[in-house]
Amino acid sequence: MADAAEGPNDAITEDEMTGTVIPNKPYKRHASPTTPKNAFTELMSKKPHAPTPSRPAAASSPSSSARTVFSGRDGLGAYTADPAAFPPSRVIYHTDTSVVINDLYPKSSVHLLLLPRSPLNQLHPFDALADPAFRASVLAETQKVRGLLARELRRRYARFSALDRARCAALDADGPPTPAAALPPGRDWAADIISGIHAHPSMAHLHVHVLSRDMHSPCMRHPRHYESFNSPFLVPVEDFPLAPDDPRRHPARSGFLDRDLKCWRCGKNFGRAFKRLKEHLEEEFEAWKRV
């Protein structure tokens, strides 16, 4: 098992390396005669909150004797091993080749993880994504998840957005529904999404972050949380394979997590004053919704 101790180049803190226990009873998904609910509609409409850190029960306890425990940095392995065991509040969807989950500690208002199901998923991303077929598969699935997230952003925030005003009015108008092709295009929510892989992954299993650009979450608690998504530390999947001399291959040497904190939206420099940046991000979140 991987060491759970926090390192200086980790993008997450030690209390976020909680590990995962596969439930000893599979989650029962009830069939419905009506149209299935959008997973986001049911599970992500509430404001994200910081979960209480917890550790899996010790293997010697009676309640855990029939469970499989993925400890510390190996925690994501539970979802690729048995995704059907988890409720939709955790697993959005899964296929034979991938699993998409809600990040347990989201760093934006919507934050998903794409977990490839492959023998390569425990290699460092720089090595795994050197494989052309694997890289193409991960990139294609990343684009699919970005589309899913863009639709969720529209569902959650279109009513606030000036660019979506005409579209919302057409959808709310009396009379026959407006065909999708005839609706005003509205806001390009896909432009408000970032995705990529951390140059120094904190978890053992390969995972792609796909998240909204807003950086609005109570789990955004540390400068490294912010810098890991607002510096070259986050490497887009389409940038792989990296050249041998690419500085992103050496994130510690490049100091990506130790730079001045700058607002992702307006560029204001806060030095290392994270509290001031956090307060500013609250204001920017409201302005971003209204674009």
Side-chain angles (χ1 to χ4, degrees), residues 34-42:
T34 59
T35 302
K37 291 183 179 179
N38 180 307
F40 285 114
T41 303
E42 181 180 359

Side-chain angles (χ1 to χ4, degrees), residues 171-218:
L171 288 170
D172 293 340
D174 295 332
T178 304
L183 288 171
R187 182 170 173 175
D188 179 13
W189 290 101
D192 289 299
I193 295 170
I194 58 175
S195 57
I197 295 173
H198 282 154
H200 175 82
S202 298
M203 303 296 283
H205 291 74
L206 193 150
H207 54 288
V208 181
H209 294 271
V210 184
L211 63 162
S212 52
R213 196 67 187 86
D214 52 86
M215 301 290 111
H216 180 261
S217 171

